[in-house]
Amino acid sequence: MTLRRGRGYAAVNYPTGMNLGGDPSQALVHATTMGGFVVTLSSVDLGQGLRTVVAQCAAETLGVPIENVIVDTADTDTGPHCMGTFASRGTHRVGNAVVMAAREAREVLLQVAADELEVDAEDLETDGTGFVRLKGAAEKKIHVSEVALAAHFRQGRTISGRGIFLKEPSTPVPETGEMDPDSCQAHACTVAEVEVDDETGVIEVLRLYNTYEVGRALNPAIATQQVEGGAWMGLSHALFESTEPYYPHSREHGPVDFVQYLMPGPADLPEQTSMLLERPADNGPFGAKGIGEMTANAPIPAIANAVYDAVGVRLTSMPFTPEKVLRGLDELRAGRAG
Amino acid sequence: MGGRITPIDTAYFKGERSGGFSVIGTAVQRSDARGHVTGRTVFFEDLTPPGLTHVKIHRSTRHHARIDRVDVSGALQVPGVLRVITHRDVPNNWYVVLRLIGVGPDDEPVLAEDRVLYRGEPIVAVVAETEEAAREGAARVVVDYTDLPAVLDVEEALAEGAPIIKQAGTNHFVYEGHPCRRIRFGDVERGFAQADRIIEGRYSSSPIEHAPTEPTGCLVVPQGDGRLRIHSNTQAAFFTLDNTALILGVPPTSLRVVGGTVGGGFGGKVDVIVEPLACLAALLTGRPAKYVYSRAEEMQVSSTRAAERIHIKDGVMRDGRIVARQVTLYVDAGAYSRHSPYGTTKAAAHMPGPYTIPNVHVDCYCVYTNRTPSSAMRGFGVTIGDFALESQMDHVARELGLDPLRLRLTNAYRDGDMKAHRKIASGTALVEVIQSAAALVGHELPPEYLAMSSAERAEG
């Protein structure tokens, strides 16, 4: 038995959103009586942190503390239309709709504040701590809660805004495939280091190195969770997961639980070293691109290529089971003998 | 706050990054994290309305068969069983989820009529007071079949003389008169003719399961005003609302979808499968109804990631330039369309990868077989393509004896390049992620490769 090490590379791009059907998302923003801001969506948080990131988009645009922002998701009676959470579109499309709605609400906020302060709205700015103040005159200011109360009870105005992100639907030209199906592209390069046991065929991923270009990391902690969680999924996809082996010939033998459907546990996890780059997208909220899906992709070929580097077996069928490695090694030996 | 946060290398794209944000770019704690780890987050199954009923399904045991007879009398004798639902009870039984954006035809029944196209296809729904009674009722349904020839392989399904399993008359989705989604760019045959080498590879994948922590499901509660409130873990609330209304033949205003909190989706909760039957159960019994997949159903009958088979033929020059790339890609849609025709188009747009290749020819087939329907999954249309493309890049580098990263940099797409689907590339960063990753692992690149930039192409 020999443990043989190898290193493999993969570089990928990934489309943010898909707009062959237009795929719009909408957002509404309104102020409560004392200056809380409710972002109303019908978008779904799958556990990736959408609510948090759109709250950041709203707070940044409104210029209020994030604690003032409430995000209400996914009730079709109250939330405006959203195509859904998929295609790496949440941060980008919902974020854009929220920014647009928050801008409109902020305009009213500043107008109401201007009337209260008896100044011009264009001379006002929000300061991110909860105050609206006169530019260049820090002492002339009013708290957002006062502005909201004035809007509701004295001025009779709604501090609210509407937003929609829609990219015109693209219909592919059937002859050539000419189309414009996405909003922007994010990028990644993964390097995998593996150890392959040439007696058992077992592949162990020792280390993964990932560089991701994400447009803008609106929340670096959530981006980290995507990068590392996605790498886990890619590794799982590469080495473990399958609804076969016996299906379709004997469906009864297909997995029915997590004892039979294997995925990596803590002992299978590699060390991960990652880096983010930012090249802001001109159509993204604060430049953000979507990275939700792509993080699972590059690890798969990087692992396959590392196995080739280690033992000379080109794995062309996922998942890369020990059996496939051993069959590849047998073929190599037979080739050498022949 | 503590924890490990991935650093941002701000040396790249310096001039393009504006600053001055107050909360953007900061590690705000996830608003739902505390609720998730303390068990206080409310998921749809945490609701237990009085009078709740349960829906379970009797499913096909055959890959492909005619249904000769369905006998539900045994189910109705099980204590606690309230109703059985067959296709006759479904107002508009045939649907396709993408009809809202004009993708057709309707090709899937909510409940099978006279034929089943895959093992596990729903035939009869049983509504009962308890899950046990519903399960027992479903088990007591008797279906007589006549087996029909099954097609279980994508290339066999396209072969001449293959049994045609689809009503539309072909075993593939038809894209505006074509059997596949095509990309045509340059002249691939001329490219192959001028190449020093032709290097080919075939790649494939198995179907996999989304494996969300929370299985797919919903709970429907009839309201005092006659509307139905649908608590669902759908990834797309209005998709669910609109498709369910179309299937039930009711105005969309009679339904309300409440959701937004999901224990993992990964694309598996985009199909509209559970809500129409749960709504029907609630309408027919006047009581709240829950239809949630068991873990076994989640693994055996929920949509999979499509198995794909990809053939890549490259025409390459000795210096590593790829001058022609031909890709043939087969997506195994399984028995029904769901989102697969859309994903296949996405796959076509992704080819030939993030590389500028002057001659590209792509055929992407969305193929129907008698396997479990596949549908959206994280990386839809791209993940397996990336496996094939990047394995092929390594293969080419090995065949030519070139550094694999330099080969990629040589061919990397950059701003202003025309992609094969005739979109001008912008905001590209393939060069930089490769340079950065090389630095992370100490892979040395010669100065001319380190000087490359996505934003400009050096002359000469």
Side-chain angles (χ1 to χ4, degrees):
Chain A
M1 175 191 102
T2 315
L3 294 173
R4 293 156 72 179
R5 291 197 173 192
R7 181 190 274 182
Y9 304 88
V12 301
N13 62 335
Y14 199 89
T16 294
M18 188 172 180
N19 72 318
L20 297 174
D23 288 24
S25 284
Q26 292 187 39
L28 300 175
V29 171
H30 78 269
T32 65
T33 42
M34 291 184 66
F37 287 87
V38 183
V39 178
T40 311
L41 310 167
S42 70
S43 313
V44 174
D45 193 323
L46 298 180
Q48 83 279 41
L50 180 69
R51 274 193 200 94
T52 310
V53 167
V54 300
Q56 288 178 261
C57 289
E60 187 72 48
T61 306
L62 289 161
V64 302
I66 193 160
E67 294 75 23
N68 286 34
V69 176
I70 295 162
V71 180
D72 173 24
T73 53
D75 182 334
T76 57
D77 270 11
T78 56
H81 176 248
C82 174
M83 194 79 173
T85 303
F86 44 76
S88 301
R89 64 193 299 287
T91 296
H92 186 272
R93 294 194 179 198
V94 182
N96 271 327
V98 168
V99 167
M100 189 174 168
R103 265 192 208 131
E104 193 173 293
R106 183 174 181 272
E107 255 178 59
V108 186
L109 175 80
L110 294 184
Q111 285 161 9
V112 173
D115 286 357
E116 292 300 305
L117 292 170
E118 298 180 331
V119 297
D120 285 338
E122 49 268 32
D123 295 332
L124 292 176
E125 62 187 4
T126 46
D127 70 354
T129 73
F131 285 95
V132 179
R133 64 185 183 191
L134 194 61
K135 289 176 197 165
E139 70 288 353
K140 184 105 173 166
K141 63 183 182 181
I142 181 170
H143 197 265
V144 167
S145 61
E146 295 297 323
V147 181
L149 284 167
H152 282 96
F153 295 109
R154 282 200 294 279
Q155 297 189 21
R157 296 158 96 167
T158 70
I159 300 179
S160 61
R162 305 153 297 166
I164 179 167
F165 185 87
L166 171 70
K167 188 172 167 175
E168 193 186 333
S170 165
T171 306
V173 175
E175 296 304 323
T176 60
E178 178 174 350
M179 59 179 133
D180 180 11
D182 50 58
S183 292
C184 49
Q185 298 277 339
H187 302 85
C189 184
T190 291
V191 184
E193 289 179 354
V194 304
E195 193 168 76
V196 183
D197 183 327
D198 67 7
E199 188 177 32
T200 63
V202 170
I203 300 164
E204 186 181 353
V205 180
L206 303 173
R207 274 176 287 276
L208 287 174
Y209 300 86
N210 305 293
T211 292
Y212 279 93
E213 186 279 308
V214 302
R216 194 95 203 195
L218 302 189
N219 184 322
I222 291 178
T224 300
Q225 134 199 321
Q226 290 279 20
V227 166
E228 299 195 352
W232 176 89
M233 194 185 231
L235 183 144
S236 183
H237 206 345
L239 300 186
F240 290 83
E241 293 184 59
S242 174
T243 55
E244 293 168 329
Y246 305 112
Y247 178 72
H249 301 296
S250 181
R251 192 50 152 135
E252 292 83 352
H253 295 171
V256 294
D257 58 31
F258 287 117
V259 175
Q260 296 171 14
Y261 189 81
L262 298 182
M263 298 190 289
D268 303 304
L269 291 186
E271 280 177 41
Q272 286 195 50
T273 306
S274 302
M275 185 63 76
L276 297 177
L277 312 184
E278 296 181 322
R279 186 173 196 202
D282 52 13
N283 61 10
F286 308 100
K289 301 173 176 179
I291 62 159
E293 295 173 283
M294 74 180 303
T295 51
N297 292 357
I300 302 167
I303 291 167
N305 297 338
V307 171
Y308 185 89
D309 189 50
V311 295
V313 172
R314 176 68 60 200
L315 293 163
T316 58
S317 161
M318 296 164 55
F320 316 138
T321 58
E323 178 181 339
K324 289 173 186 168
V325 174
L326 293 177
R327 286 185 188 281
L329 286 169
D330 283 348
E331 273 176 38
L332 282 180
R333 287 184 195 113
R336 262 178 228 131
Chain B
M1 67 179 276
R4 181 185 65 257
I5 294 179
T6 305
I8 300 169
D9 189 340
T10 55
Y12 288 91
F13 307 112
K14 234 179 179 136
E16 299 183 37
R17 298 174 67 259
S18 58
F21 299 127
S22 57
V23 67
I24 288 297
T26 69
V28 173
Q29 183 177 312
R30 257 175 61 178
S31 56
D32 53 4
R34 188 177 297 273
H36 287 357
V37 299
T38 58
R40 287 186 181 166
T41 299
V42 175
F43 295 88
F44 84 86
E45 275 202 283
D46 292 317
L47 305 171
T48 47
L52 181 63
T53 68
H54 301 265
V55 178
K56 296 289 174 190
I57 308 294
H58 182 88
R59 298 179 177 282
S60 159
T61 58
R62 311 302 172 91
H63 291 308
H64 187 200
R66 201 173 65 225
I67 294 176
D68 297 320
R69 188 180 70 105
V70 176
D71 180 359
V72 301
S73 57
L76 290 168
Q77 285 163 11
V78 175
V81 167
L82 300 166
R83 267 301 295 231
V84 296
I85 301 173
T86 70
H87 67 87
R88 289 187 190 85
D89 300 304
V90 186
N92 297 304
N93 195 40
W94 290 83
Y95 74 103
V96 64
V97 286
L98 286 171
R99 76 168 118 180
L100 293 169
I101 58 166
V103 176
D106 290 343
D107 80 334
E108 182 166 5
V110 175
L111 292 171
E113 295 185 0
D114 56 357
R115 197 161 63 113
V116 286
L117 266 63
Y118 71 98
R119 276 187 96 122
E121 180 160 356
I123 301 172
V124 174
V126 176
V127 193
E129 302 273 1
T130 64
E131 275 192 81
E132 293 68 27
R135 201 176 292 120
E136 179 64 21
R140 298 256 189 113
V141 172
V142 177
V143 179
D144 294 339
Y145 301 96
T146 301
D147 280 316
L148 297 168
V151 182
L152 299 167
D153 180 273
V154 285
E155 288 182 81
E156 283 171 23
L158 297 181
E160 213 169 312
I164 300 300
I165 63 170
K166 298 295 284 185
Q167 287 180 336
T170 63
N171 287 340
H172 56 76
F173 185 79
V174 177
Y175 291 95
E176 295 96 10
H178 296 293
C180 58
R181 175 62 76 202
R182 300 143 51 111
I183 301 288
R184 297 290 183 269
F185 187 66
D187 181 341
V188 80
E189 289 307 327
R190 204 174 59 201
F192 287 140
Q194 77 185 68
D196 292 327
R197 291 275 307 273
I198 304 291
I199 298 173
E200 300 188 57
R202 287 180 79 85
Y203 307 90
S204 65
S205 66
S206 296
I208 74 162
E209 159 54 20
H210 302 79
T213 307
E214 180 199 28
T216 306
C218 71
L219 189 157
V220 178
V221 186
Q223 302 296 293
D225 59 4
R227 299 176 73 209
L228 297 178
R229 196 172 68 214
I230 305 168
H231 298 272
S232 170
N233 58 18
T234 176
Q235 291 179 227
F238 272 97
F239 231 80
T240 296
L241 179 93
D242 295 337
N243 276 300
T244 303
L246 289 170
I247 288 166
L248 297 179
V250 300
T253 46
S254 69
L255 307 176
R256 172 186 183 186
V257 175
V258 180
T261 299
V262 178
F266 311 109
K269 292 169 180 163
V270 178
D271 299 333
V272 181
I273 303 290
V274 289
E275 292 86 358
L277 280 174
C279 283
L280 211 47
L283 286 172
L284 292 172
T285 63
R287 288 169 58 173
K290 181 162 86 172
Y291 175 13
V292 56
Y293 279 166
S294 66
R295 182 58 64 188
E297 282 178 306
E298 192 72 48
M299 288 189 172
Q300 294 243 320
V301 302
S302 75
S303 302
T304 64
R305 182 193 287 292
E308 292 182 28
R309 197 170 298 171
I310 302 173
H311 181 204
I312 304 178
K313 178 179 174 185
D314 283 341
V316 300
M317 308 307 287
R318 264 182 287 274
D319 63 6
R321 278 177 300 131
I322 303 172
V323 294
R325 174 167 277 180
Q326 184 166 7
V327 179
T328 310
L329 184 150
Y330 304 95
V331 168
D332 186 347
Y336 296 111
S337 288
R338 299 196 181 167
H339 290 85
S340 293
Y342 200 63
T344 306
T345 295
K346 188 175 171 190
H350 190 65
M351 299 296 156
Y355 302 108
T356 295
I357 299 173
N359 304 291
V360 178
H361 181 288
V362 179
D363 285 340
C364 294
Y365 293 86
C366 174
V367 187
Y368 300 103
T369 65
N370 294 110
R371 309 215 322 173
T372 310
S374 62
S375 194
M377 186 171 177
R378 185 184 201 168
F380 196 28
V382 171
T383 299
I384 311 302
D386 279 346
F387 160 58
L389 288 166
E390 286 303 288
S391 296
Q392 175 74 6
M393 291 303 282
D394 198 69
H395 181 42
V396 168
R398 296 279 179 173
E399 287 287 316
L400 297 177
L402 298 175
D403 173 349
L405 289 187
R406 283 154 69 176
L407 175 80
R408 287 174 173 85
L409 289 168
T410 298
N411 292 288
Y413 80 150
R414 303 191 228 179
D415 291 3
D417 289 354
M418 171 88 82
K419 298 178 75 175
H421 62 290
R422 290 176 164 74
K423 184 174 171 177
I424 303 290
S426 64
T428 62
L430 194 76
V431 167
E432 288 76 7
V433 294
I434 292 172
Q435 290 166 339
S436 167
L440 283 182
V441 297
H443 180 117
E444 281 185 29
L445 291 170
E448 63 267 32
Y449 289 89
L450 289 172
M452 289 169 85
S453 153
S454 287
E456 56 201 40
R457 193 182 286 280
E459 292 304 315

